[in-house]
Amino acid sequence: MDQILFSRVKFHNDQNAFEYIFDAHYAALCAYASGILGSHEDAKDIVNDCFLEFWNKRQSIEITSSLKSYLYIAVRNLSINQLRKRKQKVSLSSELTYPFYKQEEVSAKIEQLQQMDKLEERLKEAIDSLPKQCRYIFFLNRFEQMSYKAIARKLNLSEGTVKTQIGRALKKIRLEFEGVKTKGEIFLFNLVCHF
C-alpha cells in the first residue's frame, strides 16, 4: 500500500496520498526520534522536517527498500544531525532509551508495524491475483478515486459491468481477509473495501 501511495505522491503530486502516509507513520516516527533525542518536542520537529523534505524532494526520491524504512532512516539521520548540533555524543551501538514510552510499548509498536507490512503484502498479492481487467477497474476506483460512471466512460463499458467487476474484486479480497482478528487487519481491510 505504501508503494502505491508513494507513486501517487511522486508522479501525481497527490496531497491526499501524502497526508495518508503522514498520518500512518507520524506517531511511530515521533516515538523513534524521541528515543534518540530524549525530547518529544524535538522529535516532532525532526519528523515534521523529514516529511517536509520528503514532499519537497518527492520527484527525485528513489526508494529501494520500503517507504517505512526510508522514513525511519531519514528520521534517524536528521536526529543524529540534531544531536551533533547540540554537541552531544551518542553511541549508535549502545541501546537507546525511550523516555516517553516503555521499552515494551516500543517493541509492541515495532511488531505491529511489521504485521502491517505483512498485511500490505497480503493485500497486494490479493489485488495482483485479480484478472487483469478486474484489477484495473478496482485500481481506478479505489486508488484513483474514479466513479463507476467515469470508469465506464474511460473503458467503454457499462456501469453495471464496472459495478460487477468491483464486486468480484471485493469478494476475492474479503475471502483473503476472512479471518481478520487484529486492528491492523481490520483497518487495512476497511481502507480498501469501504472507502
Side-chain angles (χ1 to χ4, degrees), residues 20-179:
Y20 180 82
I21 292 168
F22 181 89
D23 291 342
H25 296 284
Y26 183 79
L29 289 170
C30 283
Y32 179 65
S34 288
I36 296 170
L37 297 169
S39 163
H40 191 62
E41 290 304 313
D42 288 346
K44 289 194 308 190
D45 290 342
I46 289 294
V47 174
N48 287 331
D49 289 347
C50 173
F51 277 107
L52 180 62
E53 188 173 328
F54 174 73
W55 177 258
N56 289 336
K57 295 182 178 180
R58 66 192 174 279
Q59 294 175 334
S60 63
I61 293 174
E62 296 296 327
I63 296 179
T64 56
S65 56
S66 71
L67 177 61
K68 184 168 69 175
S69 295
Y70 173 86
L71 292 171
Y72 272 86
I73 290 168
V75 166
R76 183 195 67 201
N77 292 342
L78 288 170
S79 298
I80 290 169
N81 288 341
Q82 175 72 14
L83 288 172
R84 284 187 183 135
K85 286 178 188 173
R86 288 192 214 158
K87 298 188 188 303
Q88 292 181 354
K89 294 183 180 179
V90 170
S91 170
L92 296 179
S93 61
S94 67
E95 187 174 326
L96 299 171
T97 60
Y98 295 86
F100 296 97
Y101 300 91
K102 293 179 183 171
Q103 187 67 35
E104 301 83 38
E105 291 173 356
V106 173
S107 296
K109 186 67 176 170
I110 290 169
E111 186 178 322
Q112 191 178 37
L113 292 170
Q114 290 169 338
Q115 286 176 335
M116 283 299 289
D117 280 347
K118 289 176 186 172
L119 292 171
E120 286 177 10
E121 187 59 35
R122 212 168 120 193
L123 177 62
K124 185 181 181 309
E125 287 171 6
I127 293 171
D128 287 346
S129 72
L130 296 171
K132 186 177 179 180
Q133 183 178 23
C134 183
R135 180 175 61 239
Y136 186 57
I137 290 170
F138 183 78
F139 178 81
L140 291 175
N141 180 251
R142 290 305 199 247
F143 298 106
E144 297 289 328
Q145 289 88 36
M146 289 179 69
S147 67
Y148 290 0
K149 189 174 189 173
I151 296 169
R153 263 185 279 145
K154 179 181 176 110
L155 301 179
N156 199 23
L157 299 169
S158 72
E159 279 187 62
T161 300
V162 171
K163 186 175 181 177
T164 299
Q165 291 296 316
I166 297 289
R168 287 180 182 161
L170 290 173
K171 184 176 180 180
K172 183 159 179 126
I173 292 168
R174 282 187 186 107
L175 285 173
E176 179 63 34
F177 284 84
E178 200 167 43

